[in-house]
Amino acid sequence: MKHRITLIPGDGIGPEVTRPTLKIIKAAGVNVEWETHLAGAGALKKHGTTLPRLLLDSFAKNKIALKGPVTTPVGEGFASVNVELRQSFNLYANLRPIKNLPGVPARYQNVDLIVVRENTEGLYSGIEHEVVPGVMESLKIITEKASTRIAKFAFNYARANGRKKVAAIHKANIMKLTDGLFLQCARNVAAKYPKIGFGDLIVDNACLQLVLDPTRLDVLLLENLYGDIVSDLAAGLVGGLGVVAGANLGDTHALFEPVHGSAPDIKGKKIANPTAMILAAVMMLDHVGERRAAKRIFAALETVLLKGERLTPDLNGRSSTKQFADTIIREIER
Ligand code: NAI
């Protein structure tokens, strides 16, 4: 079967980690017709906008996208490309598996967490204004509809993937109405899934528990801002941003991406670690039904990481992006 997928290589190291990932997907025997589009700083330079119409049309039509990191110009009045894509296509669930990879140095072992973040509202609704000079206001929107939808997503995911418990993370002790509603929706949904355990944690305590012993938690359910922060914290538990990927999922569209940014400090040095981008591709292949190929790629990645002979400098190795990726391809083709 041939898949038509929208590809956003992104800025900075984006193209450097995208190129080998496409080769790896091809080596695993998946037939993809890529529709490649710029977004972010590169698109602004070429098309005068960070999110060109052609890209939006391509994703609207194909429904699946693989995206590298993009640089959003700071303080120039441009909305975040990521926030805009998530809101435009109603990609309401941000799913980030946090799991140790063999051979990847990490602060903890045996971590196996799923972070489920509400992606469309909360403090990222983008409703900010100046009340009077020197006083700014940002509105936090929490709705019953979006909170119930994301809670259902977390419980359905838990049920479909053999997970034992979901913890709703909030600050309802202070934000009694907004976070209170989020928590109440989670409780209402939890009641319909009696086989999945449910609990809740105040977000500061959740951060403490995560750094004390992340193996005690399972599926984490968070609204937008807490999810953004806690998911990066969680990535740090298993080796950092370079080895974690995420999916942005809606009812009709899905976008897969590495967690890291465009890493301008190592751009062009040919040492970017493509692991997170490869993991994003693995999640994407699973999603489009290419489970065998996804498994093959993941197994090859694990083997190469475990052997540790061809690792990029961020993993204490001395290999280039290409050497690392070529070793994975050889492993797939064995
Ligand atoms: P970053 O993730 O780009 O870099 C943080 C540190 O991690 C840097 O030292 C970098 O060299 C290293 N790093 C990141 N990915 C790596 C990889 N694959 N291999 C080896 N080392 C890696 O975060 P930063 O510097 O805060 O952001 C840079 C730009 O990226 C900003 O413009 C930001 O807006 C954008 N960004 C975009 C994201 C996206 O499109 N999803 C997510 C996060 C940031």
Side-chain angles (χ1 to χ4, degrees):
M1 179 187 173
K2 187 173 196 167
H3 304 274
R4 190 178 294 133
I5 296 175
T6 301
L7 178 70
I8 307 165
D11 300 309
I13 61 166
E16 298 172 36
V17 294
T18 301
R19 236 173 281 126
T21 302
L22 299 194
K23 280 195 197 162
I24 287 169
I25 293 173
K26 197 169 174 196
V30 186
N31 190 1
V32 183
E33 184 182 326
W34 299 100
E35 287 184 6
T36 307
H37 293 279
L38 292 173
L44 183 64
K45 222 170 165 185
K46 191 155 178 216
H47 302 293
T49 166
T50 51
L51 261 183
R53 186 78 251 160
L54 282 173
L55 157 59
L56 296 172
D57 290 347
S58 167
F59 185 32
K61 172 175 58 95
N62 295 335
K63 299 188 168 62
I64 303 284
L66 181 64
K67 175 185 158 295
V70 298
T71 305
T72 296
V74 177
E76 291 177 38
F78 296 102
S80 155
V81 166
N82 296 319
V83 173
E84 213 161 302
L85 276 172
R86 288 164 192 170
Q87 287 178 350
S88 305
F89 291 94
N90 211 4
L91 305 172
Y92 60 84
N94 191 314
L95 177 74
R96 196 181 281 189
I98 304 284
K99 200 169 175 188
N100 292 100
L101 287 166
V104 172
R107 288 182 182 276
Y108 299 87
Q109 291 302 320
N110 306 316
V111 179
D112 187 5
L113 294 164
I114 300 292
V115 180
V116 175
R117 161 186 170 195
E118 205 292 323
N119 235 356
T120 60
E121 54 177 32
L123 267 171
Y124 288 21
S125 305
I127 309 171
E128 288 192 313
H129 63 270
E130 183 178 35
V131 181
V132 290
V135 182
M136 303 297 182
E137 191 170 57
S138 181
L139 295 186
K140 170 163 164 162
I141 309 290
I142 297 286
T143 64
E144 184 178 354
K145 184 178 167 200
S147 303
T148 302
R149 183 174 63 181
I150 195 68
K152 276 188 186 156
F153 177 93
F155 278 92
N156 283 336
Y157 181 91
R159 188 165 61 188
N161 292 279
R163 294 279 169 169
K164 302 263 176 308
K165 53 186 181 179
V166 174
I169 313 246
H170 61 88
K171 193 81 191 176
N173 51 330
I174 307 289
M175 278 164 276
K176 295 180 193 301
L177 292 183
T178 48
D179 284 22
L181 176 60
F182 183 83
L183 178 57
Q184 191 52 51
C185 292
R187 284 184 175 142
N188 294 345
V189 171
K192 299 194 177 106
Y193 295 78
K195 290 192 181 144
I196 313 269
F198 176 71
D200 70 279
L201 285 170
I202 291 173
V203 62
D204 30 1
N205 182 27
C207 292
L208 175 72
Q209 298 307 323
L210 278 169
V211 294
L212 285 178
D213 182 4
T215 63
R216 287 206 301 239
L217 292 160
D218 190 346
V219 177
L220 307 181
L221 167 63
L222 308 100
E223 54 100 293
N224 213 338
L225 174 67
Y226 309 147
D228 194 3
I229 297 167
V230 169
S231 55
D232 272 24
L233 183 156
L237 304 172
V238 296
L241 300 180
V243 293
V244 179
N248 297 278
L249 306 167
D251 290 331
T252 54
H253 288 68
L255 180 145
F256 301 83
E257 61 183 345
V259 164
H260 60 75
S262 53
D265 54 335
I266 57 165
K267 181 189 167 195
K269 294 191 176 158
K270 302 185 173 147
I271 52 164
N273 183 353
T275 296
M277 191 63 171
I278 296 167
L279 290 173
V282 166
M283 289 179 87
M284 183 195 76
L285 292 175
D286 241 346
H287 185 86
V288 300
E290 295 282 358
R291 298 212 168 81
R292 251 182 58 130
K295 272 209 177 94
R296 270 177 84 191
I297 294 174
F298 188 69
L301 173 67
E302 278 194 321
T303 305
V304 172
L305 288 171
L306 194 59
K307 279 191 188 153
E309 290 159 1
R310 285 274 180 221
L311 302 183
T312 46
D314 59 304
L315 299 181
N316 304 328
R318 285 189 297 169
S319 296
S320 66
T321 309
K322 185 171 184 311
Q323 286 167 328
F324 176 64
D326 285 349
T327 316
I328 294 172
I329 291 173
R330 275 197 296 279
E331 193 59 41
I332 290 171
E333 288 170 345
R334 254 154 54 101

